[in-house]
Every structure is written in C-alpha cells, then in structure tokens.
Amino acid sequence: KAGVTQTPRYLIKTRGQQVTLSCSPISGHRSVSWYQQTPGQGLQFLFEYFSETQRNKGNFPGRFSGRQFSNSRSEMNVSTLELGDSALYLCASSPGTEFYIQYFGAGTRLSVL
Amino acid sequence: KQEVTQIPAALSVPEGENLVLNCSFTDSAIYNLQWFRQDPGKGLTSLLLIQSSQREQTSGRLNASLDKSSGRSTLYIAASQPGDSATYLCAASGAGSYQLTFGKGTKLSVIP
C-alpha cells in the first residue's frame, strides 16, 4: 500500500505570492490533517478534513485554507505569503478507526524569500 | 489547552546503552499518545501508539508507557544503535479528535 504522498517536495516563493500544496492520503483513509513545522514553534496543527468537511481548525490566520476532494485528496493554500510562513508542511492521514492513529507524509519544504 | 513537554531537548549516548525519553502533558483527558521518529528533513514515522486505557506498548527494542494520572509517558530504547539517531516526538490527542498536540522533541545521538 502506498504511503501518504505530498507534492511538491520543495517550493520557493516570494513574499506576497500564494501557494498550493497537495496531499494524497493512504488509500481508504478519509481523514487528512495538516501541520506546520518550524524550528521555533515546532509542530502546530493547521486543520483536519474528513469526508470533504473541515472538522477542526488550529490557530492560524485566514490566509491558510484547505479543502478535501471526494477521493480524499487534500490541498492546502496559503495566500499573501510572509517570510514567517517558511516551514515544513506535513500532511497526515488516518483510517478513521477508533484509535486515531496518524500516518505522515514526507512533507513539503516551503521557503519564502 | 493541552501542552506537551519533552525533556531533555537533546541527548547523546554511547552505542549499546539503554535510554529513556520523557514526555509530559498537562491535560490528562487524552485519548491516546503517539511516539514518532523524525530524521533530518524528513516526515514523521509512527513508532508506537498507546490508547488511554493501556499502560504500555512494545515494538522490538522500543517500549512506551503511559501514566495518565501523572501526565507522563516514557519511551524506552534498549541497546541503542547509531541508526536510532533521530528526533523523537510525542503527541497527544483528545477524545474524538484527530488533532495532535506535539512536544518539541528530543534529539538523540547514538555515538558508535
């Protein structure tokens, strides 16, 4: 079974631009969560989608948004990029069993110049 | 609001030594606790998940324990190897939620 796939692996953008990151969960998984990892703040929860509905959202500004498609693939969008958005963005999928185990992708490294 | 703390931030041990990594959390109403490993520049690899009703889980040389009443979890690594060098993260989730609250990790270096 293929793991969680995130594309692209690396991105370089300039301030003010917008970016879209993609995540394909493990086949059969219906929950997709997004996290931001920075050296200073560590791993922080962005949002979680289940069956195309956002169920939970972390404490991030509205510039961060996401969506989930009917095939469970998810995208995350960041508009009006700031230097502080430079981070590793990780996606996790879960089968939706009662144990809530999470499986992570390799991440997308975003650099904002 | 759940807060997760991992001490120490970094640890260096000689190969073959047994070691314990610590994780503490402020809200004992967790649903489960998960330990992950992260290699430099890579994603997270799930090592062990302990449900709130369990006290410990084992996988090979790894053993994780959970004490909800004291708000603590430990990851025990037996007979450490250089390949164990990585950052180890613990994360707690609440009931009915896929949201994980992470500690900042312990960077482990196993010296040959």
Side-chain angles (χ1 to χ4, degrees):
Chain A
K1 219 177 204 183
V4 179
T5 304
Q6 292 189 245
T7 57
R9 291 295 315 279
Y10 303 93
L11 266 177
I12 300 175
K13 293 286 187 179
T14 57
R15 279 183 300 175
Q17 287 187 310
Q18 76 165 14
V19 67
T20 298
L21 313 181
S22 179
C23 172
S24 293
I26 293 171
S27 177
H29 287 194
R30 296 168 65 191
S31 169
V32 174
S33 300
W34 289 89
Y35 292 83
Q36 181 196 65
Q37 186 177 31
T38 59
Q41 298 297 318
L43 274 150
Q44 294 184 285
F45 173 77
L46 281 156
F47 26 67
E48 184 245 340
Y49 287 86
F50 185 90
S51 294
E52 302 180 67
T53 300
Q54 186 183 90
R55 293 200 301 188
N56 207 353
K57 189 178 191 305
N59 188 25
F60 278 82
R63 300 185 297 106
F64 292 81
S65 63
R67 59 178 176 169
Q68 187 181 33
F69 302 95
S70 58
N71 62 358
S72 292
R73 189 178 70 86
S74 178
E75 288 182 347
M76 190 191 96
N77 184 273
V78 188
S79 63
T80 318
L81 284 166
E82 300 177 359
L83 296 178
D85 297 332
S86 294
L88 180 66
Y89 290 87
L90 293 164
C91 164
S93 76
S94 180
T97 66
E98 62 273 24
F99 302 137
Y100 300 98
I101 192 167
Q102 307 267 318
Y103 298 93
F104 281 78
T108 294
R109 172 75 64 183
L110 173 65
S111 298
V112 182
L113 306 178
Chain B
K1 178 190 168 188
Q2 180 72 272
E3 292 182 5
V4 178
T5 304
Q6 291 184 251
I7 296 173
L11 180 65
S12 184
V13 301
E15 181 178 2
E17 194 162 291
N18 302 326
L19 59 102
V20 174
L21 306 180
N22 296 297
C23 171
S24 61
F25 46 92
T26 55
D27 185 354
S28 62
I30 64 169
Y31 188 74
N32 65 40
L33 190 131
Q34 205 167 345
W35 282 91
F36 295 90
R37 167 187 173 140
Q38 186 174 33
D39 292 286
K42 302 288 181 63
L44 306 182
T45 300
S46 179
L47 297 173
L48 289 165
L49 179 144
I50 312 175
Q51 300 167 52
S52 61
S53 58
Q54 298 175 320
R55 295 299 298 268
E56 64 179 273
Q57 280 285 340
T58 298
S59 176
R61 294 183 294 110
L62 306 179
N63 176 277
S65 68
L66 175 64
D67 184 343
K68 285 179 58 178
S69 61
S70 66
R72 298 169 72 89
S73 176
T74 61
L75 178 66
Y76 174 83
I77 302 177
S80 59
Q81 303 170 357
D84 295 331
S85 297
T87 296
Y88 290 81
L89 296 135
C90 69
S93 69
S97 172
Y98 288 92
Q99 177 177 347
L100 293 172
T101 301
F102 282 87
K104 294 202 172 177
T106 294
K107 185 175 181 180
L108 173 66
S109 298
V110 181
I111 311 302

